Amino acid sequence: MQTMKIKNSIFAYLFVLSFGVFAVSGSVKGAESGEPYRITLDKATIAKGYTVAYPDNSLKLSLVPGILSEDTPVEILKLDEPFSYPWELERISPVMQFEFKNKAAYDNHKPFYIQFSYDKEDAGMKQVFFYDKTVAAWRALPTWDNPQENFVRSLIHLPYARIAVFSNPNILTSGRASWYSYKKGLYAASPDFPSGSRLRVHAVNSDKYVDVTINDFGPDRKVHPDRVVDLTKEAFAKIASVSDGTAGIYVEPLAITGDLKIKLAQYDRGAPVSPDSVFRAAIVMNEDTGEIIHSQNASSTFPLASLTKIVAVKVFLEVHPDLSETAAYSVKDAEYNYLYCKPWESGKLSLEEGETLTIKDLVYSSLVGSTNNTVETLVRVSGLTREEFIKRMNELVKSYGALNTRFIEPTGLAPENVSSAGDYAIIAGEVLDDPVIKAASVTAVYKFTTVKPDGKEISHSINNTNLLVREGKYEFTGSKTGYLNEALYCLMSRVKAGNGDNLIVVTMGAKTRAESFSKTEDLIRWGLLAVEKNEANKNLAYGG
């Protein structure tokens, strides 16, 4: 696990060692572009210890006495060949290769330390990775970061390795901290590190630091994008004056818990170059360019559950667009739902016979809260027969080119309502052009009032069934969830990328609600990264 439990005293010793001057026997070859830097170490030099430094000091190998037993050339090379890199991480250094040419001179049971510079100031959590050919993946090494001087130190036990520094942009370790009065003790709130994690918080303008335990969530990165943690008043006072309000800091993880611990353990074994999939089917499509960024069983048909509802609402709005009209609810509307489930199994809006609400309330309840009875009310007041309404749903999607999609009822409760991820991406792109559906589907919380037959007003508040919409981390321009036993968890998300393009992500058949959200979010980030890279390549091509 990447807890980076490396003693500062050890690094202090290595820091001195790295700038020590030792005599060296043998040849020294300077590195030019694409050429290796080579130095031969003899026994006398090995006995004293030596730091092999690449000419620009970007990489240093600290070979303390006892690391090598025989004369050996040591070679360092800056590589320029293409690699597949971990998708969640950003490479912030060149890929460097080092090698002890006399492999027998090194006992791989004795690790040594490297110092590796990175190219730019970066606030993310940084780690050194080596490329392991046996698993064809980049694997993490224990790493300590010095963000003030843009270098990391790491422990390794290989006589040959290709290494690079990667930053995790989703974990902020450098920036600012504030304080709060909530609980006495040395604690902190973090949006990145789970509760129970231990951090060492360093002040950037002094040698002061404080060790804290995470016991709360925050600060809000949308409000404070550079805020790493919030410290208790007592902890903040250890590194700065509370009258300052905030302080420049960087954090050193001492122990990490929860899902982040599992994620970093995965990096130890090998960081994935693409998102893991738990879905029966999935697609990531740039709606504006038509580019398919990711596809998995995208042409296979599966039950689509409540993803059905955006098509039903679209058909309704084509024949009945006035949202301000009032409609009276009938308990018979829900009886259609009970053809496919037990009454207590159906998600519904609590209404009684004759209770009135606006068409907008029905539409928003159907899309925000995915209520089934309100969809049937829309069908009833549409002016179409139920059979004609469902026929129009099928005709509409076929006109879009979604030929593998079929509906037998308007809510998604029937497992015979089927589509493919590819079809549904096309459907979503078309239907979400409707401003009402777009606005309703991404409303985090919808509040409204209904009126009972006796005139009593009833207040309602409905949360969006898509947790990602409620979290507000992405600019959603469309959303819909779905679940049936036969369909499992399905999710459609349309998110705006930085260049303005809309990214449509459809996932079908996740086994759990949590996986549906977390793994869909992975695909959203994967897609956004792809759009960002394409935009950067486009700018380079045009000299931008």
Side-chain angles (χ1 to χ4, degrees):
M1 184 187 72
Q2 289 296 288
T3 56
M4 293 174 281
K5 296 177 179 176
I6 303 175
K7 299 295 185 182
N8 287 336
S9 58
I10 294 176
F11 277 119
Y13 166 67
L14 290 169
F15 186 79
V16 173
L17 175 63
S18 68
F19 287 95
V21 179
F22 300 92
V24 58
S25 302
S27 62
V28 178
K29 181 179 178 183
E32 298 180 4
S33 178
E35 293 293 323
Y37 168 75
R38 177 181 291 192
I39 183 169
T40 298
L41 304 179
D42 63 13
K43 284 188 177 181
T45 303
I46 290 167
K48 297 176 184 178
Y50 191 76
T51 294
V52 180
Y54 194 70
D56 64 2
N57 285 324
S58 59
L59 179 63
K60 298 177 182 180
L61 313 179
S62 295
L63 307 177
V64 298
I67 293 295
L68 299 172
S69 60
E70 301 177 14
D71 295 4
T72 183
V74 180
E75 187 175 278
I76 301 177
L77 175 65
K78 187 177 292 186
L79 299 178
D80 199 24
E81 60 186 86
F83 285 90
S84 294
Y85 296 114
W87 77 271
E88 293 181 281
L89 309 176
E90 180 184 357
R91 182 170 61 87
I92 58 173
S93 78
V95 178
M96 303 292 286
Q97 174 181 295
F98 71 83
E99 182 176 8
F100 302 148
K101 305 302 283 188
N102 178 7
K103 303 294 191 299
Y106 174 62
D107 179 356
N108 63 10
H109 293 93
K110 296 179 179 179
F112 61 96
Y113 292 89
I114 61 177
Q115 179 172 302
F116 204 161
S117 297
Y118 45 87
D119 293 339
K120 64 177 184 178
E121 293 185 11
D122 188 282
M125 180 177 175
K126 289 167 282 291
Q127 292 175 279
V128 178
F129 283 69
F130 74 96
Y131 187 75
D132 187 342
K133 286 186 176 180
T134 61
V135 295
W138 290 90
R139 295 175 59 189
L141 296 171
T143 304
W144 179 84
D145 182 28
N146 186 334
Q148 293 177 277
E149 299 185 44
N150 284 17
F151 69 77
V152 291
R153 291 197 176 102
S154 196
L155 184 70
I156 195 167
H157 53 86
L158 298 170
Y160 164 87
R162 292 175 167 183
I163 57 176
V165 184
F166 291 89
S167 172
N168 192 326
N170 299 305
I171 305 174
L172 204 62
T173 57
S174 180
R176 301 196 69 79
S178 185
W179 61 269
Y180 61 99
S181 294
Y182 169 65
K183 182 177 182 179
K184 290 185 178 181
L186 302 181
Y187 298 102
S190 169
D192 302 320
F193 295 96
S195 181
S197 296
R198 296 271 298 161
L199 304 180
R200 177 162 292 175
V201 183
H202 297 263
V204 298
N205 58 357
S206 72
D207 294 330
K208 295 179 179 180
Y209 67 86
V210 61
D211 293 346
V212 297
T213 300
I214 302 302
N215 71 341
D216 202 354
F217 184 87
D220 187 345
R221 289 273 166 74
K222 295 191 296 294
V223 180
H224 304 289
D226 67 341
R227 193 74 61 78
V228 182
V229 292
D230 281 340
L231 300 169
T232 59
K233 186 177 181 179
E234 184 177 344
F236 188 92
K238 298 281 187 182
I239 60 170
S241 170
V242 292
S243 62
D244 293 339
T246 65
I249 58 104
Y250 64 94
V251 301
E252 174 189 352
L254 301 176
I256 300 172
T257 63
D259 290 342
L260 184 55
K261 177 180 179 179
I262 296 170
K263 173 69 74 175
L264 295 179
Q266 179 187 41
Y267 290 165
D268 291 349
R269 298 187 299 271
V273 297
S274 61
D276 297 328
S277 178
V278 298
F279 305 108
R280 288 174 174 169
I283 194 167
V284 181
M285 182 180 78
N286 186 323
E287 180 186 349
D288 294 79
T289 66
E291 178 190 3
I292 305 299
I293 298 169
H294 173 83
S295 179
Q296 174 199 345
N297 295 334
S299 60
S300 300
T301 57
F302 298 98
L304 76 166
S306 285
L307 300 190
T308 298
K309 289 183 171 69
I310 68 167
V311 179
V313 172
K314 177 62 176 173
V315 168
F316 175 83
L317 292 174
E318 286 186 346
V319 297
H320 205 118
D322 188 352
L323 298 183
S324 63
E325 268 190 36
T326 298
Y329 178 71
S330 171
V331 294
K332 291 184 178 180
D333 297 338
E335 292 178 3
Y336 287 109
N337 303 153
Y338 307 152
L339 297 174
Y340 308 100
C341 66
K342 303 296 183 183
W344 57 87
E345 295 175 332
S346 178
K348 58 187 175 183
L349 181 65
S350 180
L351 298 168
E352 67 177 47
E353 182 72 30
E355 194 166 343
T356 59
L357 65 171
T358 66
I359 297 298
K360 180 181 179 181
D361 298 334
L362 289 167
V363 167
Y364 273 65
S365 297
S366 302
L367 296 181
V368 176
S370 202
T371 51
N372 295 303
N373 57 339
T374 53
V375 174
E376 291 291 357
T377 302
L378 288 172
V379 173
R380 176 173 55 82
V381 301
S382 68
L384 303 173
T385 65
R386 193 167 183 274
E387 292 72 19
E388 179 62 25
F389 192 99
I390 297 166
K391 180 182 177 184
R392 289 206 185 188
M393 289 175 64
N394 285 296
E395 291 173 345
L396 182 66
V397 296
K398 283 182 171 50
S399 73
Y400 296 154
L403 304 180
N404 295 315
T405 302
R406 175 173 175 261
F407 306 109
I408 69 163
E409 55 85 41
T411 68
L413 285 170
E416 292 82 6
N417 282 12
V418 296
S419 186
S420 66
D423 263 19
Y424 200 81
I426 295 170
I427 292 168
E430 295 286 348
V431 171
L432 290 170
D433 280 344
D434 188 298
V436 174
I437 296 175
K438 173 184 172 182
S441 70
V442 297
T443 296
V445 181
Y446 182 63
K447 298 180 179 181
F448 62 104
T449 301
T450 58
V451 181
K452 289 184 175 290
D454 62 4
K456 182 180 179 181
E457 294 187 350
I458 304 296
S459 296
H460 300 266
S461 181
I462 300 178
N463 292 326
N464 199 299
T465 52
N466 186 347
L467 177 64
L468 300 178
V469 168
R470 301 205 305 271
E471 287 179 342
K473 291 167 63 176
Y474 307 95
E475 186 178 351
F476 275 88
T477 57
S479 166
K480 189 70 196 74
T481 61
Y483 174 78
L484 279 180
N485 288 337
E486 297 84 355
L488 302 178
Y489 290 90
C490 303
L491 183 59
M492 179 277 292
S493 303
R494 188 172 75 160
V495 177
K496 183 169 287 189
N499 68 346
D501 287 356
N502 277 307
L503 197 69
I504 295 178
V505 180
V506 180
T507 56
M508 305 177 77
K511 291 182 179 179
T512 69
R513 178 180 172 87
E515 280 189 334
S516 177
F517 291 137
S518 65
K519 296 302 183 180
T520 293
E521 184 178 6
D522 284 350
L523 289 179
I524 290 172
R525 291 192 289 117
W526 171 256
L528 292 174
L529 284 171
V531 172
E532 185 179 308
K533 289 176 182 176
N534 287 344
E535 198 68 17
N537 292 337
K538 189 190 305 180
N539 290 337
L540 285 174
Y542 286 95

